[in-house]
Amino acid sequence: PNDAAILNALGSQLGEVGEVDAALATLRHACDIAPDFAAAWFNLGKCLGLIGATAESEAPLRRALAIAPQMESARFLLAEALMALGRIDESAAEYRELLRREPRSGIAWWGLANLKSLRFSAADADALQALVQRRDIGGDHAKSIGDLHECVGQLGHRPARRVPGRFGHGEVELAGE
């Protein structure tokens, strides 16, 4: 087929069942015939990342974001790829961009905290504390934010502050500079 949406869906499914070579060829074809189709670029980057071609996944993920800067999943995978490549500052910048666009993004907070060589700034700790105390965050965001108690306390320069955990995790330690 020469329909980019069909090729994108097919390539994605091929990747899911382990037909990586066929998935990559199909997704590349989708990108060739529809160079402004962000989802195809995202799935190409995702597929490359799944096979361990982390460095190669960066360009398609960046292309997806150039087309659709609001695509959280592409920005998250890019941040993860940059972290895996040891480019911690760039990874942190992508997580922070996610947080600028969606301050309640639990996955972005978790990714930022997971950069164990990066220290949370005082502003990060304050923003996270404010989120932990909110009552209107649910679902995966709440779980990710609540799970931060496992690693955030290890990241800070200043003494951790204990705040009531509202996600079923008792108290949460927040640290910052």
Side-chain angles (χ1 to χ4, degrees):
N2 276 325
D3 181 304
I6 292 171
L7 290 168
N8 179 53
L10 177 61
S12 181
Q13 290 300 311
L14 287 167
E16 296 282 327
V17 298
E19 295 291 331
V20 177
D21 292 336
L24 290 172
T26 303
L27 291 166
R28 285 185 174 115
H29 184 56
C31 292
D32 288 342
I33 65 172
D36 290 330
F37 188 27
W41 289 105
F42 165 75
N43 282 322
L44 177 59
K46 179 181 175 182
C47 190
L48 286 164
L50 289 173
I51 64 165
T54 307
E56 293 82 2
S57 72
E58 181 181 357
L61 292 170
R62 286 194 186 277
R63 180 67 183 263
L65 288 167
I67 298 163
Q70 74 283 359
M71 187 182 279
E72 288 183 26
S73 53
R75 195 164 304 279
F76 175 75
L77 287 183
L78 177 59
E80 290 287 294
L82 293 168
M83 179 180 62
L85 294 170
R87 293 160 53 190
I88 303 302
D89 290 341
E90 291 174 75
S91 178
E94 293 300 333
Y95 284 123
R96 286 197 171 100
E97 178 60 17
L98 268 172
L99 290 169
R100 185 187 72 75
R101 291 174 179 276
E102 177 49 70
R104 300 179 305 168
S105 175
I107 196 167
W109 280 110
W110 182 256
L112 188 60
N114 208 29
L115 296 173
K116 291 183 181 10
S117 62
L118 176 74
R119 302 283 189 234
F120 262 38
S121 69
D124 290 335
D126 290 342
L128 186 56
Q129 180 176 7
L131 285 174
V132 168
Q133 294 175 343
R134 287 178 59 171
R135 301 279 180 224
D136 63 337
I137 300 172
D140 290 339
H141 292 306
K143 181 179 179 343
S144 295
I145 291 168
D147 287 348
L148 283 174
H149 77 281
E150 294 178 11
C151 66
V152 173
Q154 302 169 19
L155 299 175
H157 290 289
R158 69 179 183 210
R161 293 177 281 162
R162 295 191 74 78
V163 298
R166 57 170 239 45
F167 303 113
H169 297 286
E171 291 184 277
V172 178
E173 288 189 18
L174 298 177
E177 294 180 337

